[in-house]
Amino acid sequence: LPALLFASISASANMAEQAQRASAAGIDVVTYPTAVKDVVVIVGVLPAGDAMAEPGNIAIPTLAGMMLDRGAKGLDKFAIADRLENVGAEISFGVGTQSLEIRAKCLKKDLALVMGLIAAELRIPALQASEFAKAKQQFIGSLAASLQNTEGRAQEAFGSAVFPAGHPNRPHSIAEYMAAAKSATLEELKAFHAKYYGPAHMTLVLVGDVTADGVQAEVTKAFSGWTGGRDYIRPARPAAASGQRDILVPLSDKPSVSLILGQATGLRYKDPDALALRVGTAIFGHGFTGRLMGTVRDKEGLTYNIGAGVSEDTIVDGAWDISASFAPALLDKGLASTRRELQKWWSDGVTEAELADHKQGLIGGYFVGLSTTGGLASTIVTSIQRGYDLTWLDGYPEAIKALTRAQVNNAIKTHLDPSTMVLVEAGSVKAGSAAPPPPSRD
């Protein structure tokens, strides 16, 4: 099987040669032609996420993103919807930690129409007071609903504990967002849009039945004359361990407790050791083949959901964590089992057999992800955000293959410390209850 897998990798190599990258109207544009006929997928990003919020109001970046599909100057939201529906096309926007994400899908013949609509919504959104009021209410409603979500509340508490004030990955509380949304003004939103929306540091990737010349011409036509924009936020120093280790978020009458155990890594995705740590983490806690599922779930029957992963490290240094849910009656046993498996993995590392198996799975999963136009476009965008050029499309499988057991185990030992990790429990827990102490570091 490994020979067959690596043969398929060789056959799929030189993907970077199929992609063409150029600047059009100040935007970083990547065109990737595929054998798919007539269909084009667009994925784009620009630095206008929640981390860019001005001190006055943290809700503005999300509200700005919510306003984009509510009409552009000279074209209300109903007219935009009609034009898209008439040709079966789609456009959507989403706001993340550091990025505004743009997604669209259309037929090749309608690319000019869709690119023009994307440009209008980004460049000259209508920003009507009546629509702003509706967006605020929708945002407040979604925040109110999330107050009782154990997983979301656990993530909020964990992020606040492991990332210091001023770090782009440090989240604001739901209560802070609700207060900000209520007080947000349209003038604040307009100022944010003027400052952060622009072609500088914006990336557009188009995959499918496309040509580089055709795409660049459409982007230039739609966005010519647009200026502005800011770069992503990159702190001078990575996050370090915080003082608070055990955090309880009591939420009454919940059938399960969401648990997070982890720490800041100090690593960006592109840093040395980052890929080795990710592979070691996959062996420990990725899906049904990971050790955590095999032991805590399948062997001991303590949970239906447990895993480990590295997150928020695309642009800046991220975090490592174990996430799980336990019935309140099984929480102590579940936590003890989780800590035991963590300590064993940290102390002993991974085996050669585990590494070989997971290399195979990770590389196979990578190519499966590239098998769709949307998956390919998203992979290209993420690779660019991580600081790679297009050769990384072919370089990732080779980098995985080259990893040694010593590199993986050294990354685990160097960048993680189970004895100092932050523990968060959200759900039916009692304030003041003591968590089982972590094992001491070897």
Side-chain angles (χ1 to χ4, degrees), residues 53-239:
E54 299 289 322
N57 199 299
I58 59 173
I60 291 298
T62 293
L63 289 169
M66 292 176 68
M67 291 294 290
L68 296 178
D69 61 2
R70 295 168 186 258
K73 291 181 180 179
L75 200 64
D76 66 27
K77 64 180 181 180
F78 301 108
I80 293 174
D82 284 343
R83 293 188 184 188
L84 292 172
E85 289 174 8
N86 286 341
V87 298
E90 303 171 359
I91 300 174
S92 64
F93 302 96
V95 177
T97 301
Q98 289 220 50
S99 299
L100 170 78
E101 184 176 279
I102 306 134
R103 290 188 173 271
K105 189 174 184 179
C106 66
L107 295 178
K108 179 181 180 180
K109 68 180 181 64
D110 302 313
L111 179 58
L113 167 68
V114 170
M115 192 61 69
L117 291 175
I118 292 172
E121 290 176 308
L122 288 174
R123 298 179 66 173
I124 49 171
L127 304 183
Q128 296 175 335
S130 58
E131 291 295 334
F132 181 59
K134 294 175 186 176
K136 288 175 63 172
Q137 287 304 117
Q138 290 174 1
F139 187 34
I140 293 167
S142 67
L143 289 169
S146 64
L147 280 170
Q148 294 300 313
N149 182 291
T150 59
E151 184 177 353
R153 296 295 301 280
Q155 288 287 351
E156 173 193 304
F158 176 74
S160 296
V162 302
F163 294 113
H167 193 284
N169 287 339
R170 182 182 174 90
H172 296 284
S173 72
I174 295 173
E176 289 172 330
Y177 269 118
M178 290 183 73
K182 291 175 182 177
S183 66
T185 68
L186 192 54
E187 288 68 29
E188 289 174 316
L189 192 148
K190 289 178 178 178
F192 179 86
H193 180 271
K195 182 175 181 178
Y196 288 96
Y197 279 64
H201 308 287
M202 178 178 173
T203 300
L204 280 177
V205 176
L206 289 88
V207 176
D209 193 354
V210 289
T211 65
D213 289 344
V215 165
Q216 291 163 25
E218 295 298 347
V219 173
T220 299
K221 179 181 176 182
F223 288 96
S224 180
W226 195 31
T227 60
R230 298 295 181 98
D231 197 358
Y232 295 102
I233 299 173
R234 297 179 176 88
R237 297 180 181 178

Side-chain angles (χ1 to χ4, degrees), residues 333-350:
K333 287 184 178 179
L335 177 57
S337 176
T338 300
R339 285 197 188 277
R340 182 194 67 235
E341 293 304 310
L342 169 60
Q343 187 65 29
K344 180 180 179 182
W345 172 73
W346 184 85
S347 298
D348 301 338
V350 305

